[in-house]
Amino acid sequence: MTVPMPIHDVVTTRGPVIENRHQVHAVVTDATGRIRAAVGNPMRITLARSAAKPAQALAVLETGAVEQFGFDDADLALMCASHSSEDRHIVRARAMLAKAQLDEGDLRCGGHPAISDAVNRGWIQRDFTPTAICNNCSGKHAGMLAGAKAIGAPTADYHQANHPLQRRVKRVVEELAGLEPTGAQWAIDGCNLPAPAFPLHHLARIYARIAYAADTADTADASPSATLSTQTQDLARIFHAMARHPELVGGHGRFCTELMEAFAGALIGKVGADGCYAVGIRASDQTRQLGADGAMGIAVKIEDGNLDILYAAVVEILGQLQLGTPDQRQRLAAFHQPPIRNTAGVVTGTLSHRFQMSLP
């Protein structure tokens, strides 16, 4: 019996043998939520995990904590980060806590090995045990602690789903995603905070709206008579904070950082654990050619949660949609089709993209 070839997989081989097939779900929407391209199941219920951080940061901005405690845009970028626990990340997270008159003991996330291999090697050499401030989500936690304090709520249980701040986060995330109240499902993330789940295309819409806000705000800057909603200003600030401080959103050599550096302000990108990714792309001739009247968002989920495959698929999707220049995409080549090597450095396999984004 002949088994039909899947049409939405990334395939890895070892020699002549297909070793793994990694199922891809991806969707592109405009800021209204209209689907412009897709592969796999754009309706797949997906836990956004850390890809939800920019939307969660919007809820913190709305508390007034950023102004009250003197956070700058670099601090805001760290609130959106899954950082590598480099010194610059930990120093900034500590400074954020200090600005809000808080300390590491107030954090309700735990320590864990760094995402960065280089940082981990240094910790092992020093016999260092990472604590909560080293958590890749410590910037988000520092921001939420400050947000709780800004609204006069207790800080001890800021991470609990029924806390006043988390109720605000749920409202903001669901509205930004284009969902009715209580339209998202919620689970506890790896860092001990609630994380939303919803159909994949709603994640794309969130990022399209963030990029759309950046376009709108920049247009308004050139028009003295223009007025913007507070939410548009906040979303634009989040976009620019991430795009201007990509080294804080990820870290040295990390995909999020390399992606945003390559595209130099044209987009933002954010990983979520277990194979989720989202990109917000500012309006351009390329987005208009894809039928979007302005900015677009892309959301990707790899069914088996493989992050290397996820990054490869994101670069492939950018290429299929002809987003950015060939030179910009070439800067991400190491992520796109990395050779598979064994411990002796011998190339033993390949990675190939066997999916195609379909346009409406």
Side-chain angles (χ1 to χ4, degrees):
M1 182 178 69
T2 301
V3 178
M5 179 68 70
I7 60 172
H8 50 280
D9 287 4
V10 177
V11 174
T12 57
T13 64
R14 185 172 295 272
V17 179
I18 292 177
E19 186 163 34
N20 294 304
R21 299 184 187 277
H22 305 270
Q23 189 176 9
V24 179
H25 307 287
V27 60
V28 180
T29 77
D30 60 22
T32 71
R34 183 174 177 183
I35 293 176
R36 295 298 178 177
V39 67
N41 180 11
M43 302 296 293
R44 186 193 187 280
I45 301 298
T46 302
L47 275 160
R49 303 292 295 272
S50 285
K53 283 174 179 170
Q56 293 167 317
L58 174 63
V60 175
L61 273 171
E62 290 185 355
T63 68
V66 170
E67 289 72 26
Q68 181 174 339
F69 299 114
F71 293 162
D72 60 21
D73 282 358
D75 296 329
L76 183 56
L78 197 72
M79 286 168 54
C80 299
S82 297
H83 62 70
S84 293
S85 307
E86 298 165 8
D87 288 346
R88 58 186 167 186
H89 302 130
I90 295 172
V91 167
R92 183 164 293 277
R94 288 191 190 280
M96 289 175 66
L97 289 172
K99 288 176 183 178
Q101 297 183 323
L102 298 158
D103 60 37
E104 185 176 358
D106 295 304
L107 296 172
R108 294 295 178 263
C109 55
H112 60 75
I115 295 173
S116 164
D117 289 338
V119 171
N120 272 325
R121 287 194 298 271
W123 286 354
I124 291 168
Q125 290 170 357
R126 292 159 45 202
D127 193 25
F128 174 76
T129 299
T131 57
I133 199 70
C134 305
N135 190 296
N136 77 92
C137 301
S138 61
K140 176 177 71 171
H141 279 255
M144 288 197 174
L145 272 165
K149 197 168 183 179
I151 62 173
T155 57
D157 58 350
Y158 73 93
H159 62 298
Q160 296 288 351
N162 62 353
H163 188 275
L165 179 70
Q166 296 308 326
R167 291 200 295 268
R168 282 175 172 248
V169 169
K170 289 180 180 181
R171 173 184 55 78
V172 169
V173 170
E174 288 168 346
E175 187 279 326
L176 197 60
L179 295 164
E180 295 295 322
T182 71
Q185 301 177 52
W186 292 83
I188 303 303
D189 210 337
C191 71
N192 207 27
L193 281 169
F198 33 61
L200 187 62
H201 67 93
H202 287 285
L203 180 59
R205 180 176 179 171
I206 287 173
Y207 277 73
R209 289 187 64 180
I210 296 172
Y212 179 82
D215 288 335
T216 302
D218 285 0
T219 299
D221 286 344
S223 175
S225 62
T227 58
L228 295 176
S229 70
T230 300
Q231 185 184 83
T232 297
Q233 295 177 57
D234 288 345
L235 289 172
R237 185 174 181 186
I238 289 167
F239 184 100
H240 289 309
M242 294 177 68
R244 292 169 183 167
H245 301 282
E247 76 285 352
L248 295 177
V249 178
H252 180 72
R254 293 277 304 284
F255 181 74
C256 292
T257 299
E258 297 288 330
L259 172 66
M260 288 188 280
E261 287 181 347
F263 277 76
L267 58 73
I268 59 169
K270 184 68 192 67
V271 68
D274 285 300
C276 178
Y277 206 88
V279 183
I281 306 156
R282 298 187 64 169
S284 67
D285 289 342
Q286 294 157 323
T287 64
R288 285 184 279 272
Q289 287 169 5
L290 292 167
D293 182 18
M296 295 194 323
I298 302 173
V300 185
K301 170 66 179 178
I302 303 300
E303 189 67 34
D304 63 11
N306 188 300
L307 287 178
D308 289 337
I309 298 300
L310 174 70
Y311 300 145
V314 171
V315 181
E316 173 68 14
I317 290 166
L318 293 173
Q320 288 187 17
L321 300 178
Q322 293 295 293
L323 292 166
T325 66
D327 286 346
Q328 287 172 323
R329 296 192 298 272
Q330 180 59 32
R331 289 182 59 180
L332 303 170
F335 296 97
H336 186 212
Q337 289 182 307
I340 298 171
R341 301 179 185 275
N342 65 15
T343 56
V346 176
V347 175
T348 58
T350 60
L351 179 153
S352 59
H353 300 276
R354 302 190 184 181
F355 68 90
Q356 183 65 46
M357 298 293 290
S358 59
L359 305 177

